[in-house]
Amino acid sequence: MKTNKLLFSVLAVTFILAAAMFYYQNFYKDSMKEEDMRIVYVARTDIPEGTKLGKENIAAIQIPVTAMLSSYKLDYTKNIEGNIASSTIFEHEVIVKERITEKDRDKKQFMINVQSVSDMRGIDKGDTVRIAVIPTEYDNTDLFMVLDKKAVASNSIKVNSSGKETGVIDSVNLLMSEEEAAVFYKASKSGEIIVMEYNTLADAEKSGMQSFNEFITNLPVEETGK
C-alpha cells in the first residue's frame, strides 16, 4: 500500500513538473520574448572600413532587454542604411554609432574601374585595398598612396580570345566620392597604378607610405621665363 502511495506521489510530482514545463515553453517563454526582447542590428559578414551599409551586409536579431546598451539603440533607416563603416566591423558584431560615418546621401558617388600593373590575384568583392601610384611623369620611382582602405564593390575577370574567363583579375570596381575620383584620375595620368590588398601590407607599409596629394603639393614650382 505504501508503495502505491509513493508511486502515486511520484507520478503526481512528475505531472506537475511536466505541466509547468509545458506552460513555460508555450506561454511564459513566448510572453518573455515579446516583452523582454529588443531588436539590434549586426554584421552578416566582415564589413571592411569604407563599405556602404545595407541589407546585403546587415541583419536584425533579438537580444534580451537586459543585454541592451544605449549605443545599440539604432534606427535602421535613419542611422544605418546607406551610411558607411568607419572601421572594419566583424561578422556578428553589433552595429553601434561609433562604427558608422554618416554620409550625405545626396553627395555624388562614382563607381570607378581601376586597372593595376600589379597582380591582383586573390582580391575579391568586399576586400579592402590601397590604391598606389608610381608617378613616372615626375621622374620618381617611389610608391605613393592615392586612396586608402577602399572596399572592392566587384571585380572583372580577363577573358581569352574565345570569350572564356581566364581566372585572372583584369580590374576592380571601387565606389569613390567626387574628390577621390579626381585624385585617382590625376594619379592615373601621372604614372602606373598599383592595387594592393590592405591586409597583406606590413605595419610599416600601412603607416609609412607618403600620399600622392602630399607629394604633388610639395613639388617645386617651375619658374617661367619673363
Side-chain angles (χ1 to χ4, degrees):
M1 195 71 169
K2 290 183 179 180
T3 303
N4 290 338
K5 287 183 178 180
L6 178 61
L7 179 60
F8 177 79
S9 299
V10 170
L11 290 174
V13 171
T14 302
F15 175 79
I16 292 170
L17 289 174
M21 184 62 68
F22 177 83
Y23 175 80
Y24 173 79
Q25 291 287 346
N26 294 279
F27 298 99
Y28 180 77
K29 189 177 179 182
D30 289 341
S31 174
M32 181 184 68
K33 281 185 178 179
E34 293 176 4
E35 296 178 2
D36 300 332
M37 303 294 281
R38 295 292 184 271
I39 291 176
V40 297
Y41 297 95
V42 299
R44 291 182 185 273
T45 60
D46 289 351
I47 304 175
E49 179 179 347
T51 303
K52 182 181 287 188
L53 305 179
K55 293 180 180 178
E56 68 279 3
N57 50 31
I58 298 296
I61 65 169
Q62 288 188 323
I63 65 172
V65 66
T66 52
M68 281 292 292
L69 301 177
S70 59
S71 58
Y72 292 176
K73 297 176 182 178
L74 299 180
D75 180 274
Y76 176 78
T77 303
K78 181 179 178 182
N79 305 122
I80 298 177
E81 186 178 30
N83 288 325
I84 305 297
S86 59
S87 58
T88 299
I89 304 173
F90 297 100
E91 184 176 2
H92 305 314
E93 183 180 345
V94 178
I95 308 300
V96 295
K97 58 187 177 181
E98 290 80 9
R99 309 298 293 276
I100 297 174
T101 298
E102 293 191 0
K103 289 286 186 178
D104 181 354
R105 299 188 185 189
D106 296 327
K107 190 173 182 179
K108 290 183 179 179
Q109 296 279 308
F110 302 89
M111 189 65 70
I112 305 296
N113 183 263
V114 179
Q115 293 186 312
S116 174
V117 297
S118 61
D119 186 1
M120 293 188 287
R121 197 172 311 171
I123 297 178
D124 296 318
K125 177 181 177 181
D127 287 344
T128 304
V129 297
R130 168 180 287 179
I131 308 301
V133 63
I134 301 176
T136 53
E137 180 181 325
Y138 300 109
D139 297 324
N140 196 301
T141 57
D142 291 334
L143 268 176
F144 294 87
M145 181 180 67
V146 180
L147 299 172
D148 204 25
K149 291 189 275 191
K150 298 296 294 180
V152 175
S154 61
N155 55 31
S156 301
I157 307 298
K158 288 183 179 179
V159 296
N160 57 26
S161 56
S162 62
K164 186 177 180 180
E165 291 187 351
T166 62
V168 178
I169 298 175
D170 179 62
S171 60
V172 294
N173 296 308
L174 307 176
L175 194 64
M176 301 183 192
S177 67
E178 192 169 2
E179 295 82 0
E180 288 173 331
V183 172
F184 170 74
Y185 179 77
K186 185 183 294 184
S188 65
K189 294 298 180 183
S190 302
E192 296 179 324
I193 293 294
I194 295 176
V195 177
M196 314 165 74
E197 189 173 359
Y198 188 79
N199 289 335
T200 63
L201 298 175
D203 290 339
E205 293 176 306
K206 290 179 179 179
S207 59
M209 190 179 292
Q210 185 181 3
S211 74
F212 175 70
N213 259 352
E214 185 179 351
F215 166 70
I216 59 175
T217 299
N218 294 327
L219 283 175
V221 178
E222 292 184 5
E223 295 184 4
T224 57
K226 296 183 179 179

